[in-house]
Amino acid sequence: MGRTHRAAPPAGGSTTAQQSTSPKPVAATATAGIRLTTLDGRYRIVERIAAGGMGEVFLAHDTVLDREVAIKVLHRSLAGDPGFIERFRREARAAAGINHANIVAVYDWGAVDGIYFMVMEHIRGQSLREILNAHGKLAPVQTAEVLDQVLSALGHAHRQGIVHRDIKPENIMITPDGVAKVADFGLARAYAEGRQTSTGTVTGTVQYLAPEQIRGEPADPRTDLYSLGIVSFELLTGRLPYTGETAMAIAYKHLSNRVPKPSTLVPGVPKGVDGFVASATERDRELRPESAEEMRRDLSREAKLLPVAPALATLVDDTPIVLPEASDPERAETVTIPRADPDPQAPKRRWLRQLLGALLMAAVLVGGGYAVWEFLIPHYHDVPQLLGSPMKQARNELIGLGYVVVEDDGAFSAQVDQGAVLRIDPAAGTRLEEGQTVTLVPSLGPPPIPVPDVTGRSQAIAERKLTQAGFAIGKVTSEFSERVRDGDVVSQQPNKKEAPRGSDIDLVISKGPPPRPIPAVVGQSEAAAVAALQAEGFEVQIEERFSETATRDTVMGQTPEGGIERAYGSAVTLTVSKGPERFEVASYIGMSEAEAVAAIEQDGLVARVERVPGSVDDRVRGQEPKPGTTVRAGQSITIFVA
C-alpha cells in the first residue's frame, strides 16, 4: 500500500504506506531503532514513508518481481512479545489469503534477524483522512461511493472469517481513479488482542470503537459496520459525532449516546441517509444490519436518490500535497483505555465496597480469580447442534458462546426449510476456543424448477398444469380485464421462470371487461344506434312498432336506459319505429252491422255507421273507402247499413 509524493505524518494508529515528496536514504533515518537498506535480501528500501503505533512503513523495491511495494516493519517492543508474534503470524497468513479489488493486498510476511515485517501492495493515492483534512467533508453521493466500495471489501473479508476491528479514515486509501482500498486487515486484531490479553484493557481508535469493543466483548462483522457508520458520519459532516477531553470520555459516549443525525449539522443531507447512519451506529449490534451485504443493499437504495457531485477521483487530484514533516492534528490515534463497565451504577458500588474493609480481601481474591479466568485461561466450548434451527437463533447462540459468526451464501435443500441452518463449519461437537470463527450456511429451500406459463389459459387447465409440474395453487383472485376473456388467467405470481418445488403460485382470473355505461341512443337511426352499442361490447335486440310520430327506422326507446352500467356483452333491446301502418281495406259489405264494426276495429280502423232510410235487415250495403283502397291504421271507415 502507499501513495506517490504524499506522506502521512507520524502519529499513533495503524498507518498507510505512502511515498514522500523527495526520497532520502533510509540509512540516514532511524525511528524506534530501525535502520534498513535491504530486507530479506530481496526488498531494497527506498524511503521511510510513515510510522504508527505498531511500526514503521517503508517504500521498497521488490528486486525479484521488479515492482514497488510497501513494507510495514513492527516495533522492537512488539517483536519481543512471543504471544503477539504468534498472533501476527496467524493474522498475516489470513490477510495474505484475501484477494479483493478494494482491499490492500498482502504479498509476503516474515522475520529476518528479529525484524518482523509484512509486504503489501503500494497504493498511489491518498487516505480518506488527508481528503477530509483538505476538503472538510464529502458530498452525500461521494460518501456513498466510498462506503459502497468499503462494504464490498468488508463483505468479502467477513465471509472468510476476518473482522478488521479498526475501520477509520486512516485505513481507507483512495486511488487517483477513485478506487477505495481498505488497509491493515489482521494487524488491528493482533495488536488489540495482545494489549487486551496482557493488560485487561481495550486498544483501538476510540473515536470509531463499537460499544461491544469498549465492553471487551468479542468482535464480529457488525463491529466493523458500526465503525464504518462513524466514518460515514464524519465524511458527511466533516467532524466526529463524539469528542471529549479524554479517551475514556469519548468511549462512554459510545456506550450511552446516540449518534446525531448528519442533517442536524449539514441540512442538505437526505433523511434516508440519516436513517442509514442511524442503523449502522445502533449501540445494540443486534439492531444493526446483519451483514455488510445487507448494509450495502440499504446504501444502494438511498444512493439512487442522491444529487450528483464531482467524481471521487477529482478529490484526490484537488487535495494538496502533505509534506512528511507536517503534523496532522486530526489523525485518529490508537489508544489503550480501561475496559468499560456497562453498568452505570458500578462506580457507586465500587465506592461502597471500599467502605467494607472486612470484605476487602475477599473482594480482591474474587476479582483476581475472575481476572485469571477471564484473561489467562483459554475458554473452550463445544459447537452446538444447530442444523435446522433458524439462522438468527443459531447466530445469537454462537455469539453468546463467544464465537465470531460468518454467514455463507447458502445452498438449496429439499429437506431443510428456507432460512434455517443447512451446514455448520466446524461441525457440531467440535471443541473451539472463544473468538474463533464459525461459519453458518443457510438453506435456500428446495431447488428451483421451471414454472409453466399459464397466462391466457382457463383456470381449470392452469391449475392442472401447475400441480402436474410440482407446484401448489396459492391465492386465487379475480379482476376485470379488457384483453383476457372471462375465466382465463390474467397473471401468475411469482412470475419467474423458476421457483422452488412445492411453492405456491398465485393466480389472477379474468372477470372479463369491466362494467360500462350503456350509450343513450333514443332518437338515433337504427344503424347508428346498433353501431354505438356494439362498439361498447353490448348485444343488440330489435323490436319494431308502428308509430304515427316517429320516423321509420328511428329508435323510439331502449331497455335498459342510457347511462346505466351493465356487464360487457349484456343485451340491450331497442324499440324501432315502423312508421304509420298502411294496408288495403277489407270488404265489409254483406256483414251485419255488429259483425262489420267488430271487423273494422280488429283491423285497427275506426268504424262509422250511416243508416240508409228504409233498412230491411241491417246489412252493410256499401263502404267508404271502397274495398281494396289503401288505408292507414286508425283511419275511419264508413259503412252504409240498410
Side-chain angles (χ1 to χ4, degrees), residues 366-382:
V366 171
Y370 175 78
V372 170
W373 169 259
E374 179 71 16
F375 302 115
L376 300 181
I377 299 177
H379 297 283
Y380 291 87
H381 303 284
D382 291 338

Side-chain angles (χ1 to χ4, degrees), residues 355-368:
L355 299 179
L356 303 177
L359 299 178
L360 179 60
M361 185 59 68
V364 170
L365 292 175
V366 171

Side-chain angles (χ1 to χ4, degrees), residues 348-473:
K348 182 183 293 185
R349 286 202 295 270
R350 284 196 296 269
W351 180 76
L352 292 174
R353 283 197 298 269
Q354 292 174 358
L355 299 179
L356 303 177
L359 299 178
L360 179 60
M361 185 59 68
V364 170
L365 292 175
V366 171
Y370 175 78
V372 170
W373 169 259
E374 179 71 16
F375 302 115
L376 300 181
I377 299 177
H379 297 283
Y380 291 87
H381 303 284
D382 291 338
V383 176
Q385 177 56 263
L386 298 170
L387 300 183
S389 302
M391 285 291 292
K392 186 172 184 178
Q393 174 184 327
R395 186 188 314 108
N396 292 341
E397 185 171 345
L398 290 170
I399 290 174
L401 293 174
Y403 298 130
V404 175
V405 181
V406 176
E407 289 186 22
D408 206 342
D409 293 335
F412 295 106
S413 171
Q415 290 75 37
V416 180
D417 293 339
Q418 183 177 0
V421 177
L422 176 62
R423 290 194 300 274
I424 183 171
D425 183 28
T430 304
R431 193 159 183 79
L432 286 184
E433 183 180 356
E434 288 183 7
Q436 295 299 302
T437 298
V438 178
T439 301
L440 294 176
V441 180
S443 170
L444 302 179
I449 58 176
V451 180
D453 183 2
V454 295
T455 54
R457 302 295 188 95
S458 68
Q459 181 178 350
I461 294 176
E463 292 181 354
R464 184 172 66 252
K465 289 179 69 68
L466 289 170
T467 53
Q468 289 175 347
F471 298 98
I473 305 303

Side-chain angles (χ1 to χ4, degrees), residues 35 194 197-198 229 239 246 283 412 421 434 587 632:
R35 298 173 63 88
T197 301
S198 62
R239 53 165 289 182
T246 65
R283 286 172 294 178
F412 295 106
V421 177
E434 288 183 7
S587 175
R632 193 175 55 196

